[in-house]
Amino acid sequence: LAEVAEAMGLDTSSDRTLWRDRAAIELTAAVQHSFDEAGVSLADHHGESRRFLRFVEKEQAAGRHCPVDWSWIVPPISGGLTPVFHRYYDEPTDTGPMFRLDDQAAARGQGCPA
Protein backbone atom coordinates (compact mmCIF):
# COMPACT_ATOMS: atom_id res chain seq x y z
CA LEU A 1 0.00 0.00 0.00
CA ALA A 2 2.92 2.35 0.60
CA GLU A 3 3.85 2.25 -3.09
CA VAL A 4 0.24 2.93 -4.12
CA ALA A 5 -0.01 5.79 -1.63
CA GLU A 6 3.23 7.26 -2.91
CA ALA A 7 2.03 7.05 -6.52
CA MET A 8 -1.21 8.75 -5.47
CA GLY A 9 0.70 11.52 -3.68
CA LEU A 10 -0.89 10.74 -0.32
CA ASP A 11 0.50 12.06 2.94
CA THR A 12 1.95 8.99 4.67
CA SER A 13 3.46 10.89 7.60
CA SER A 14 0.75 9.77 10.02
CA ASP A 15 -1.89 7.09 10.39
CA ARG A 16 -4.36 9.95 10.99
CA THR A 17 -4.30 10.80 7.27
CA LEU A 18 -5.88 7.38 6.59
CA TRP A 19 -3.50 6.89 3.70
CA ARG A 20 -3.62 3.08 3.96
CA ASP A 21 -7.41 3.09 3.75
CA ARG A 22 -7.46 5.40 0.75
CA ALA A 23 -4.75 3.41 -1.04
CA ALA A 24 -6.54 0.09 -0.36
CA ILE A 25 -9.83 1.42 -1.74
CA GLU A 26 -8.16 2.78 -4.89
CA LEU A 27 -6.22 -0.44 -5.40
CA THR A 28 -9.44 -2.46 -5.09
CA ALA A 29 -11.22 -0.11 -7.50
CA ALA A 30 -8.35 -0.44 -9.98
CA VAL A 31 -8.49 -4.24 -9.87
CA GLN A 32 -12.27 -4.21 -10.36
CA HIS A 33 -11.90 -1.78 -13.25
CA SER A 34 -9.30 -3.96 -14.95
CA PHE A 35 -11.59 -6.99 -14.65
CA ASP A 36 -14.50 -4.99 -16.07
CA GLU A 37 -12.39 -3.79 -18.98
CA ALA A 38 -11.34 -7.38 -19.71
CA GLY A 39 -14.96 -8.53 -19.62
CA VAL A 40 -14.32 -10.76 -16.62
CA SER A 41 -16.76 -10.79 -13.73
CA LEU A 42 -15.47 -10.12 -10.25
CA ALA A 43 -17.75 -9.96 -7.23
CA ASP A 44 -17.55 -7.07 -4.81
CA HIS A 45 -17.98 -7.21 -1.06
CA HIS A 46 -21.26 -5.28 -1.03
CA GLY A 47 -23.00 -7.66 -3.43
CA GLU A 48 -21.55 -10.75 -1.77
CA SER A 49 -22.70 -9.53 1.64
CA ARG A 50 -26.28 -9.17 0.38
CA ARG A 51 -26.05 -12.57 -1.34
CA PHE A 52 -24.87 -14.20 1.89
CA LEU A 53 -27.77 -12.73 3.87
CA ARG A 54 -30.22 -14.10 1.29
CA PHE A 55 -28.60 -17.52 1.82
CA VAL A 56 -28.97 -17.19 5.60
CA GLU A 57 -32.65 -16.26 5.19
CA LYS A 58 -33.27 -19.31 2.99
CA GLU A 59 -31.52 -21.58 5.49
CA GLN A 60 -33.57 -20.15 8.36
CA ALA A 61 -36.80 -20.53 6.35
CA ALA A 62 -35.89 -24.20 5.88
CA GLY A 63 -35.42 -24.61 9.63
CA ARG A 64 -31.65 -24.68 9.58
CA HIS A 65 -29.25 -22.36 11.35
CA CYS A 66 -26.14 -21.04 9.69
CA PRO A 67 -23.14 -20.93 12.03
CA VAL A 68 -20.59 -18.42 10.83
CA ASP A 69 -17.23 -17.09 11.90
CA TRP A 70 -17.93 -13.34 11.78
CA SER A 71 -14.34 -12.55 10.79
CA TRP A 72 -14.73 -14.64 7.61
CA ILE A 73 -17.98 -12.97 6.54
CA VAL A 74 -17.27 -9.29 7.17
CA PRO A 75 -15.03 -7.89 4.42
CA PRO A 76 -11.76 -6.18 5.32
CA ILE A 77 -12.65 -3.06 3.35
CA SER A 78 -15.66 -0.98 4.43
CA GLY A 79 -16.99 -3.84 6.55
CA GLY A 80 -19.20 -1.49 8.57
CA LEU A 81 -20.95 -0.40 5.38
CA THR A 82 -22.11 -3.92 4.53
CA PRO A 83 -25.29 -5.53 5.89
CA VAL A 84 -23.36 -8.48 7.37
CA PHE A 85 -21.49 -6.25 9.83
CA HIS A 86 -24.23 -5.32 12.29
CA ARG A 87 -25.45 -8.86 12.94
CA TYR A 88 -24.76 -11.63 15.37
CA TYR A 89 -24.13 -15.14 14.15
CA ASP A 90 -23.97 -18.50 15.87
CA GLU A 91 -20.35 -19.53 16.18
CA PRO A 92 -19.45 -22.77 14.40
CA THR A 93 -19.21 -25.64 16.88
CA ASP A 94 -17.96 -28.36 14.55
CA THR A 95 -14.68 -26.96 13.31
CA GLY A 96 -13.06 -30.21 12.20
CA PRO A 97 -13.12 -31.62 8.68
CA MET A 98 -16.68 -31.91 7.40
CA PHE A 99 -16.21 -35.26 5.70
CA ARG A 100 -19.18 -37.58 6.05
CA LEU A 101 -19.16 -41.17 4.82
CA ASP A 102 -22.07 -41.80 2.49
CA ASP A 103 -23.88 -45.03 3.45
CA GLN A 104 -24.12 -46.22 -0.16
CA ALA A 105 -20.42 -45.55 -0.76
CA ALA A 106 -19.53 -47.42 2.42
CA ALA A 107 -21.62 -50.41 1.31
CA ARG A 108 -19.95 -50.44 -2.11
CA GLY A 109 -16.54 -50.40 -0.41
CA GLN A 110 -17.20 -53.49 1.71
CA GLY A 111 -14.78 -56.24 0.79
CA CYS A 112 -12.67 -53.89 -1.32
CA PRO A 113 -9.03 -55.01 -1.21
CA ALA A 114 -6.94 -52.32 0.36
Side-chain angles (χ1 to χ4, degrees):
L1 290 178
E3 291 178 25
V4 173
E6 183 181 334
M8 291 175 63
L10 298 178
D11 177 4
T12 60
S13 65
S14 167
D15 288 340
R16 302 272 307 153
T17 65
L18 304 177
W19 66 268
R20 285 183 187 88
D21 307 75
R22 295 174 64 196
I25 292 291
E26 289 305 317
L27 183 58
T28 300
V31 169
Q32 287 179 329
H33 175 77
S34 67
F35 272 66
D36 291 344
E37 288 294 307
V40 178
S41 64
L42 175 68
D44 65 82
H45 51 284
H46 296 287
E48 288 305 309
S49 294
R50 288 189 303 274
R51 190 177 345 273
F52 177 74
L53 288 183
R54 284 194 304 273
F55 167 75
V56 169
E57 289 171 4
K58 288 179 182 179
E59 289 296 294
Q60 290 172 340
R64 297 182 291 263
H65 74 287
C66 192
V68 173
D69 182 337
W70 187 87
S71 68
W72 282 61
I73 298 304
V74 176
I77 295 178
S78 306
L81 301 176
T82 63
V84 294
F85 183 83
H86 298 285
R87 289 183 53 115
Y88 293 97
Y89 301 95
D90 293 332
E91 287 289 322
T93 55
D94 187 359
T95 57
M98 301 300 174
F99 301 113
R100 304 289 189 259
L101 183 58
D102 179 87
D103 291 336
Q104 291 178 346
R108 285 193 306 270
Q110 294 297 321
C112 179

